[in-house]
Amino acid sequence: MNIKSFVAGLMMAASMLAVSNIAMADEQITLGRTILLSGGDHGAKIPLLICRKTDAIRVKAERDLHLEKIKVTFNNGQTKTIRFYRDLKKNQHTDWRGFAYRRCVKKLEVFGNSDGSKAGVKVYGRKK
């Protein structure tokens, strides 16, 4: 094997990794958005008009906030509470929190408090 074919092979492998990373970035869908208020004891509800299939969720803060938990309601009426209990800065997101398998999400309820008067929150689902 000569040097040129070795370098060509490395470049091909690197480009394939770059393409797969770009594809992975496109693999999230927005399930919904809501606003958390400071001192809010009730969850901010995000009803979904159609059921969205996903195997995990993550949260992105649009302002500084304290995220407690998200209650996920599935199409069959079952619920799952995912606890975070962490502070998020503006544009920071949580890690992916998975379900056992792909499920049809019908409603989300986000619990937490904003550091200011209000803070926007986006909830994403993983698309596979």
Side-chain angles (χ1 to χ4, degrees), residues 17-101:
L17 284 174
V19 169
S20 69
N21 284 341
I22 291 169
M24 285 178 65
D26 292 338
E27 295 214 11
Q28 72 181 15
I29 54 173
T30 302
L31 295 176
R33 331 171 56 155
T34 191
I35 294 175
L36 294 178
L37 303 174
S38 62
D41 293 335
H42 302 287
K45 294 180 182 174
I46 305 173
L48 280 69
L49 296 176
I50 59 169
C51 133
R52 302 295 301 262
K53 289 192 175 188
T54 185
D55 69 343
I57 65 168
R58 81 190 297 182
V59 180
K60 179 182 177 189
E62 294 179 337
R63 284 199 182 166
D64 294 356
L65 61 92
H66 176 74
L67 180 64
E68 292 179 13
K69 62 186 175 182
I70 294 184
K71 182 179 175 184
V72 182
T73 304
F74 301 106
N75 197 34
N76 63 1
Q78 291 180 333
T79 62
K80 179 176 179 79
T81 301
I82 301 172
R83 299 181 194 319
F84 292 95
Y85 295 110
R86 61 179 286 193
D87 294 323
L88 293 174
K89 300 289 182 195
K90 182 179 181 177
N91 294 323
Q92 188 178 22
H93 57 80
T94 65
D95 54 337
W96 287 103
R97 299 290 180 94
F99 308 138
Y101 52 92

Side-chain angles (χ1 to χ4, degrees), residues 102-125:
R102 279 178 61 85
R103 311 236 10 218
C104 190
V105 176
K106 193 69 175 156
K107 182 174 77 171
L108 300 163
E109 195 170 359
V110 182
F111 293 85
N113 296 301
S114 69
D115 284 351
S117 60
K118 60 184 177 179
V121 174
K122 274 188 183 179
V123 181
Y124 295 103

